């Protein structure tokens, strides 16, 4: 496949996959198999609105590969959720679960809707209907659901309840649920915490001090806000953050905890005391040491890649950099800690949650965080060492590691 500016999300992930497959010289038929989803379901989700009208929403569940274990992936509620994007995110999950070596495959789901325009009752009804429509594909040993953009612990509780009404109580059907319903301590923070562990380990291996490094974070949802709360532990200073409504800049340093409180109280981070309001585009192009995209995909693309000034990019979000932009940034020697490594902490703790549910046992938060740290450090080290040895990027190294592990299980299982 040729590099193009207008590659779709799935084409982009497949471009990275294709490069790794070529490097590994994997058999053609396995390459062909992994270039497509294993199964894709599109459903029409009718839902009665609070005002009595019925609205139809489109939903998806895509299962990319179950070679390494049950399918695993989040559900996204977003106005732009579409099959190509969900397909791309499902395949990213396949490589991600393999990179951190947990026994899951890759899946993703979504409903095309704007959750901020729906009441809690409407979201509850929509979630239950969507769950019913995909219920024949999911299950605690088939496909386990988790939160993603626009969904949260509450959404998972509704899915668990609806699934339980049909098939019997089983908390292992979803991860990222409330603690009271069998959720794991530390799951909420896990993606952000894992990203900070991975960045810290990379810096240690590369012998780079992060002391005083300036950080800009795009997105202040689950991932961004936890990174904002925790990245200071590496000695870094946050100078800018943003959400969908825009961002704020304070060269003297922003306090992650205070920002999260401000957003909770005011609904947005705009007008944070003493800071200057900036746009999302300005945030990406800021003069800073570390840039952390933690919102939507493809925010760094062929038009702005050249203007990125950060020397290190930590992909908190899934697929925030298009392949063309990735190429531009590699040529500028920008270090990119790739999504399939750095934001894998969420699925790692989802695995711990699932394992706790199956054993009907709860771990203390210290244990969860210690095991998460181990998994992130191990994966970061494997990716870094190959990148150094073969003089390739961290992304290429991560894909090679993930793809090789998936291919190995396909060969061992002998299912083609
Ligand atoms: P979220 O819904 O909690 O937060 C998303 C944030 O992005 C919000 O602050 C929102 O205001 C902001 N945003 C939305 N549109 C934007 C835009 N156009 N420009 C700038 N900001 C915008 O979502 P999340 O769970 O934090 O997920 C963020 C990213 O991280 C997604 O790419 C998701 O797939 C990825 N991710 C999430 C997890 C997880 O455990 N939640 C795990 C791995 C990867």
């Amino acid at each position: 496949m040729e590099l193009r500016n207008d590659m779709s999300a799935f084409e982009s992930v497949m471009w990275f996959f294709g490069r790794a497959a070529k490097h590994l010289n994997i058999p053609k038929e396995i390459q062909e198999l992994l270039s497509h989803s294993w199964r894709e379901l599109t459903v029409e989700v009718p839902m009665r609105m609070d005002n009595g009208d019925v609205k139809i929403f489109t939903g998806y569940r895509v299962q990319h590969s179950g070679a390494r274990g049950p399918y695993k992936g989040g559900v996204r509620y977003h106005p732009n959720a579409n099959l190509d994007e969900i397909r791309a995110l499902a395949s990213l999950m396949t490589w991600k679960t393999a990179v951190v070596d947990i026994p899951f495959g890759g899946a993703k789901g979504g409903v095309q809707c704007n959750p901020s325009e729906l009441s809690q009752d409407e979201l509850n009804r929509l979630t239950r209907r969507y769950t019913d429509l995909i219920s024949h594909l999911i299950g605690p040993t088939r496909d386990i659901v988790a939160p993603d953009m626009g969904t949260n612990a509450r959404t998972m509780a509704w899915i668990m309840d609806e699934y339980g009404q049909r098939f019997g109580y089983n908390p292992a059907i979803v991860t990222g649920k409330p603690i009271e319903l069998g959720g794991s301590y530390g799951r909420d923070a896990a993606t952000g915490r894992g990203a900070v562990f991975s960045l810290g380990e990379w810096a240690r291996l590369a012998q780079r001090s992060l002391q005083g490094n300036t950080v800009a974070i795009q997105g202040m949802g689950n991932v961004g806000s936890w990174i904002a709360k925790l990245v200071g532990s590496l000695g870094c200073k946050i100078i800018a953050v943003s959400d969908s409504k825009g961002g704020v800049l304070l060269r003297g340093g922003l306090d992650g905890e205070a920002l999260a409180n401000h957003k909770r109280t005011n609904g947005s981070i705009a007008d944070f005391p003493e800071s200057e309001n900036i746009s999302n585009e300005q945030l990406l192009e800021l003069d800073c040491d570390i840039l952390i995209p933690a919102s939507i995909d493809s925010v760094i693309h062929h038009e702005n890649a050249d203007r990125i000034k950060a020397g290190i990019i930590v992909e908190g979000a899934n697929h925030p950099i298009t392949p063309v932009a990735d190429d531009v940034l590699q040529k500028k020697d920008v270090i990119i800690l790739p999504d399939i490594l750095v934001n894998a902490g969420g699925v790692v703790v989802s695995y711990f949650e699932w394992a706790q549910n199956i054993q009907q046992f709860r771990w203390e938060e210290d244990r969860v965080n210690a095991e998460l740290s181990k998994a992130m450090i191990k994966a970061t080290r494997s990716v870094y060492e190959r990148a150094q040895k073969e003089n390739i990027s961290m992304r290429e190294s991560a894909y090679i590691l993930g793809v090789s592990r998936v291919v190995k299980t396909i060969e061992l299982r002998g299912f083609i």
Side-chain angles (χ1 to χ4, degrees), residues 36-42 60-65 71-73 82-91 106-110 130 137 143:
H36 301 94
S37 319
W38 182 256
R39 191 181 280 127
E40 296 182 345
L41 176 67
T42 301
Y60 310 95
R61 187 71 187 170
V62 174
Q63 298 171 334
H64 175 257
S65 167
Y71 300 100
K72 182 84 189 86
N82 62 69
L83 189 54
D84 181 86
E85 181 192 51
I86 303 295
R87 203 180 266 153
L89 293 166
S91 63
K108 203 81 180 189
Y130 169 69
L137 290 191
D143 183 351

Side-chain angles (χ1 to χ4, degrees), residues 80-300:
N80 299 336
N82 62 69
L83 189 54
D84 181 86
E85 181 192 51
I86 303 295
R87 203 180 266 153
L89 293 166
S91 63
L92 276 179
M93 287 303 292
T94 300
W95 316 130
K96 192 180 299 186
T97 50
V99 167
V100 285
D101 206 9
I102 55 173
F104 285 141
K108 203 81 180 189
V111 178
Q112 204 178 81
C113 67
N114 187 344
S116 64
E117 288 173 359
L118 299 175
S119 71
Q120 287 300 303
D121 282 347
E122 287 169 338
L123 282 169
N124 187 341
R125 286 197 291 277
L126 181 71
T127 302
R128 286 175 188 280
R129 204 69 195 264
Y130 169 69
T131 306
D132 282 342
L133 289 163
I134 65 163
S135 63
H136 57 294
L137 290 191
I138 60 175
T141 56
R142 288 175 160 256
D143 183 351
I144 303 124
V145 181
D148 191 67
M149 275 181 76
T151 57
N152 53 30
R154 192 163 204 189
T155 326
M156 297 306 111
W158 293 330
I159 294 177
M160 176 185 139
D161 186 68
E162 188 63 26
Y163 184 85
Q165 289 187 26
R166 282 176 155 243
F167 300 101
Y169 173 78
N170 200 330
I173 179 62
V174 286
T175 57
K177 8 177 218 297
I179 302 288
E180 298 83 347
L181 296 177
S184 176
Y185 291 121
R187 171 61 184 89
D188 191 39
T191 306
R193 193 183 299 280
V196 171
F197 284 148
S198 183
L199 173 62
E201 180 62 9
W202 169 81
R204 198 187 65 76
L205 294 165
Q207 298 180 325
R208 287 272 290 263
S209 166
L210 299 179
Q211 201 59 41
N213 275 204
T214 51
V215 179
I217 306 173
Q218 184 188 55
M220 277 293 274
N222 173 280
V223 180
S225 64
W226 275 106
I227 293 179
K229 280 183 212 162
L230 298 170
V231 75
S233 64
L234 301 176
C236 307
K237 179 172 82 171
I238 302 168
I239 58 162
V241 300
S242 69
D243 62 18
S244 57
K245 296 181 191 130
V248 291
L249 167 68
L250 184 60
R251 286 265 164 213
L254 292 157
D255 176 51
E257 197 78 52
L259 271 168
N261 290 339
H262 179 84
K263 179 160 166 110
R264 223 180 349 262
T265 319
N266 300 285
S268 100
I269 46 153
D271 302 325
F272 184 73
E274 294 174 37
S275 66
E276 175 192 333
N277 286 334
I278 55 169
S279 68
N280 263 297
E281 291 68 34
Q282 286 173 306
L283 178 134
L284 293 171
E285 296 170 20
L286 275 181
D287 191 0
C288 63
D289 298 307
I290 305 173
L291 175 63
I292 308 187
S295 64
I296 52 169
D297 70 285
S298 308
V299 291
I300 302 176

Side-chain angles (χ1 to χ4, degrees), residues 185-187 189 193 226 363-370:
Y185 291 121
R187 171 61 184 89
R193 193 183 299 280
W226 275 106
W363 298 2
E364 295 298 329
E365 183 163 0
D366 284 354
R367 178 171 175 198
V368 173
N369 292 343

